Amino acid sequence: MRRDGDLLIEHLGAASGRVVLCAPFIKAGVLRRLLAAMSKDVDLDIVTRWHPQEVAAGVSDLEIFDLISGRPRSKLRLLDNLHAKLYISDARLLAGSANLTATALGWCDDPNIELLMPVSIDDPNVQRCLDSLKHARDATMEERDAIRAAADAIDGSPLPLAAAVVDEMASVWLPRLAAPANLFHAYRPRSRERLTRDSLEAADHDLAALALPPGLSETAFIGEVGRRFCEMPAIVLILRAAEEDLTDEAAAALVATLSINAEISPATGWRIVRDWLTMFMGDRYEIAPQSFITRPKSGSPRR
């Protein structure tokens, strides 16, 4: 089945002059994937919204500011009451319900049911939307930092979220790439051809979730993956369980409660997580020989 994300990549890749991305929720990993599909010569206009509770919930990434600020002929604008999803490639337009997130575009284990369809620029509703976009303000570093501070201040009692935000959070991420040593090859454009199609698909799923900045060395990449990996909600729960020594059987049972990917068994899902822990967090966690218990290394801080 064709995913909305694949349709969108084809749509944007055909642009030669102008691209407009209009969506309230934008994840950095997804935006990076879309940017890679576009010509570097197109003018790019992105309109989104930044609400602290949504940033704290993880459905929007402030890191898109850095992605756009370093790209020529590109601008990022904000519109607080934005809800429309509209994607323009030269004179071709797609509209519908899909935000620029892995869940909305079908790049996850349990995607939302979304709609993206061609629309005419002459449609009165499209014209009203485009007129509203003229009121969007330029995103600034100062506003980004203020939103980040406000999001960080939202702790265990987050502000109520709209139903659409809750839908975007429905799919809990767990890694899919069974050979985590290959993740760096997928991250570097020049080495992607080393991987099989299935490995690339799994790696792209994981890279989109991790939303890594571009241009990292291999050492920096491993450190940054480890940092972001241990902050993922499902991984946080697994690491908490490992504080009391985690057997493979108990870990697989825990993964079964977190994952809704029917293509991967809980035991296989746990083995993938365990290999990621070894690869990216080996300085903090160990797999005890013979017993295969996962636990923090001696002297490592407890979570």
Side-chain angles (χ1 to χ4, degrees), residues 90-107:
D90 293 336
R92 300 173 297 276
L93 287 76
L94 290 177
S97 62
N99 278 288
L100 298 185
T101 68
T103 305
L105 295 180
W107 294 332

Side-chain angles (χ1 to χ4, degrees), residues 11 29 53 62 70 92 112 143-145 151 164 180 193 245-246 251 255 265 299:
H11 177 67
Q53 63 268 40
L62 299 177
R92 300 173 297 276
N112 290 344
E143 183 165 7
R144 179 203 61 184
D145 292 345
E193 67 275 5
D245 291 349
L246 185 61
V255 166
S265 70

Side-chain angles (χ1 to χ4, degrees), residues 28-296:
V30 168
L31 179 58
R32 188 176 296 110
R33 189 167 177 178
L34 298 180
L35 291 175
M38 299 179 207
S39 167
K40 292 181 172 60
D41 297 325
V42 300
D43 294 325
L44 175 61
D45 183 15
I46 298 178
V47 183
T48 189
R49 76 186 192 205
W50 284 344
H51 293 178
Q53 63 268 40
E54 294 168 357
V55 172
V59 296
S60 286
D61 289 339
L62 299 177
E63 288 79 5
I64 66 173
F65 180 90
D66 302 302
L67 289 176
I68 298 308
S69 62
R71 187 183 190 278
R73 296 184 298 281
S74 302
K75 57 185 175 181
L76 175 64
R77 298 187 294 143
L78 303 175
L79 193 61
D80 293 335
N81 61 344
L82 180 67
H83 187 70
K85 295 88 175 176
L86 179 65
Y87 308 114
I88 302 176
S89 171
D90 293 336
R92 300 173 297 276
L93 287 76
L94 290 177
S97 62
N99 278 288
L100 298 185
T101 68
T103 305
L105 295 180
W107 294 332
C108 68
D109 295 332
D110 187 41
N112 290 344
I113 298 174
E114 304 280 5
L115 178 68
L116 276 181
M117 60 183 296
V119 294
S120 170
I121 196 169
D122 298 322
D123 187 297
N125 293 313
V126 173
Q127 282 298 317
R128 279 194 294 271
C129 178
L130 293 174
D131 288 342
S132 297
L133 298 187
K134 295 176 182 177
H135 300 290
R137 66 189 180 278
D138 290 339
T140 65
M141 186 180 300
E142 291 76 18
E143 183 165 7
R144 179 203 61 184
D145 292 345
I147 295 291
R148 176 173 288 137
D152 289 345
I154 299 173
D155 50 21
S157 301
L159 299 175
L161 295 174
V165 180
V166 175
D167 288 345
E168 289 294 334
M169 298 176 64
S171 180
V172 177
W173 175 83
L174 286 171
R176 286 177 51 184
L177 183 62
N182 286 333
L183 191 65
F184 186 65
H185 295 313
Y187 169 78
R188 296 180 66 212
R190 289 178 296 177
S191 59
R192 288 174 61 85
E193 67 275 5
R194 300 183 187 182
L195 305 183
T196 65
R197 180 178 177 179
D198 288 346
S199 292
L200 269 179
E201 184 174 345
D204 285 341
H205 163 270
D206 296 333
L207 290 171
L210 293 168
L212 299 162
L216 295 174
S217 67
E218 186 168 8
T219 299
F221 175 85
I222 291 173
E224 189 64 15
V225 170
R227 185 182 72 79
R228 299 189 182 211
F229 178 64
C230 72
E231 293 175 351
M232 291 295 191
I235 304 304
V236 169
L237 294 176
I238 290 171
L239 295 182
R240 285 176 182 167
E243 292 179 2
E244 304 300 326
D245 291 349
L246 185 61
T247 66
D248 281 351
E249 183 179 6
L254 178 56
V255 166
T257 69
L258 298 172
S259 176
I260 48 180
N261 182 6
E263 297 178 2
I264 299 178
S265 70
T268 299
W270 163 241
R271 283 196 296 271
I272 293 173
V273 171
R274 193 179 68 186
D275 288 345
W276 276 59
L277 286 173
T278 302
M279 177 74 191
F280 299 113
M281 300 179 68
D283 59 330
R284 285 168 281 175
Y285 289 86
E286 64 181 2
I287 313 300
Q290 298 175 338
S291 66
F292 293 102
I293 287 175
T294 300
R295 63 193 181 196

